[in-house]
Amino acid sequence: MDITNHFDIFMSQFQETNVRLQDFCDFEKIRKNVETIAINLNTLNYLLGKKDLENAVLLLWEKDPKVFDVLDILIATRRKDKKRYINKQGVPKDVAELFKSPEGIVEFLRETGLADLFQNENIKNLVDYVFGVETGLDSNARKNRYGHIMEAAVCEAFKNAGIKFEREVKSEKIPPIKAILGKDLKRFDFVVPSKGVTYLIEVNFYNPGGGSKPNEVARAYTEIGPKINSVQGYEFVWITDGYGWMESAKMLEEAFRNIPKIYNLNTLNDFIGTIKQ
């Protein structure tokens, strides 16, 4: 069977999704995120329904200006993201700068549209509102979560087969690999020592709509795989799956032709058999 037929079979084995219902939202993480700022949010509830918003903001500011530190989450951003905006004069500014004065806070509320929501009482409770915002933000983490689910599946398969492994090993911890990769630092999802060879393993899963990421990964692994395989005693292994590859089949096929050990969830046991030989 030629390599094209092998690749067609490989693609036909991909799973549509690896997501369970409990994987859509991490409600425990969401709850903890909200809990850490709940006191400030409850204090800011004072602003809801106030027609004289400027005076209400000033009263809160005089009592405790730190309660306004959580305002950025109300527009689904986080302070660590250091969001920028263009002010009325056309000058780029940090959003966080607005939270350093009552006037800036009022500007933030009015310009974002939050002031109208507050005064018209479209928002009844900021704690509940932020729980919804956090749920939406958590959905942005799903793409990474799919990869973690895939890693967990591989981890469980290795454990069930009695295979010893290390997780998240940096290339700088492996001198021969560090030497060949140079400044290109890499962190391998799994490292499996076997008889005469150590397998350096990357694992991922792509759902449809993954954008350019699958292509970028395939291109990177096509380059790094042969480099690692040229080092005596080491082999590069790629375990990947998901219908997201249907949109990037050409790039994956190129990788398939250049990486001898590439597997999906269906053929993972083949790799495990190779390890245990």
Side-chain angles (χ1 to χ4, degrees):
M1 185 182 297
D2 64 30
I3 194 166
T4 299
N5 288 333
H6 275 297
F7 178 71
D8 289 342
I9 293 173
F10 181 73
M11 287 283 290
S12 71
Q13 295 167 335
F14 282 169
Q15 295 187 9
E16 181 177 356
T17 183
N18 65 344
V19 180
R20 305 159 298 177
L21 284 176
Q22 59 262 45
D23 297 320
F24 279 96
C25 285
D26 186 345
F27 284 115
E28 180 60 21
K29 183 186 76 173
I30 292 168
R31 184 189 63 77
K32 287 180 179 178
N33 287 346
V34 175
E35 196 172 72
T36 59
I37 59 174
I39 293 176
N40 284 5
L41 292 172
N42 275 313
T43 303
L44 289 175
N45 277 334
Y46 171 76
L47 301 177
L48 303 182
K50 293 292 188 297
K51 299 305 178 184
D52 187 352
L53 193 60
E54 290 88 345
N55 187 56
V57 167
L58 184 59
L59 287 173
L60 277 187
W61 178 269
E62 291 175 346
K63 187 174 182 63
D64 184 4
K66 291 184 178 180
V67 300
F68 297 102
D69 287 348
V70 301
L71 280 178
D72 48 352
I73 195 64
L74 301 185
I75 57 169
T77 65
R78 301 191 191 281
R79 186 64 55 88
K80 65 179 182 180
D81 296 333
K82 297 182 179 179
K83 292 294 185 181
R84 302 273 285 173
Y85 76 105
I86 297 175
N87 67 12
K88 292 178 179 179
Q89 290 73 43
V91 180
K93 295 282 187 178
D94 289 335
V95 172
E97 289 295 312
L98 292 169
F99 307 151
K100 294 182 178 180
S101 71
E103 295 76 17
I105 291 163
V106 172
E107 180 183 348
F108 172 82
L109 294 174
R110 293 206 181 284
E111 294 300 315
T112 59
L114 283 167
D116 288 337
L117 296 180
F118 282 15
Q119 291 176 320
N120 295 329
E121 297 187 77
N122 297 117
I123 298 173
K124 304 299 183 183
N125 184 293
L126 287 174
V127 175
D128 294 339
Y129 170 85
V130 170
F131 197 98
V133 170
E134 285 285 355
T135 301
L137 289 174
D138 185 70
S139 69
N140 294 328
R142 288 177 191 164
K143 291 181 181 179
N144 290 333
R145 194 173 298 148
Y146 300 150
H148 293 321
I149 295 168
M150 179 72 169
E151 290 175 23
V154 173
C155 184
E156 183 177 2
F158 284 168
K159 287 180 178 178
N160 290 340
I163 293 172
K164 294 182 179 179
F165 60 87
E166 292 182 74
R167 296 193 66 174
E168 298 187 352
V169 179
K170 294 180 179 179
S171 58
E172 59 193 44
K173 300 293 185 181
I174 312 171
I177 301 302
K178 179 183 178 182
I180 201 165
L181 295 183
K183 295 181 180 179
D184 296 331
L185 299 180
K186 190 80 182 71
R187 184 174 64 181
F188 299 100
D189 294 323
F190 296 90
V191 171
V192 174
S194 187
K195 297 176 183 177
V197 62
T198 296
Y199 297 107
L200 308 181
I201 306 167
E202 287 290 344
V203 175
N204 42 51
F205 190 103
Y206 293 107
N207 282 289
S212 62
K213 183 65 174 179
N215 281 332
E216 293 169 5
V217 169
R219 189 178 294 109
Y221 291 175
T222 299
E223 181 179 341
I224 198 176
K227 288 183 179 179
I228 291 173
N229 292 341
S230 70
V231 181
Q232 186 174 1
Y234 292 90
E235 287 191 38
F236 179 73
V237 178
W238 185 14
I239 304 170
T240 192
D241 212 309
Y243 272 19
W245 283 116
M246 303 305 176
E247 304 163 5
S248 305
K250 186 175 181 179
M251 190 62 68
L252 181 61
E253 184 173 7
E254 183 179 345
F256 191 85
R257 292 175 181 275
N258 286 277
I259 301 173
K261 285 186 167 53
I262 180 169
Y263 302 90
N264 54 36
L265 287 172
N266 188 72
T267 60
L268 177 57
N269 282 331
D270 295 342
F271 174 54
I272 289 174
T274 298
I275 298 173
K276 300 184 74 172
Q277 283 181 352

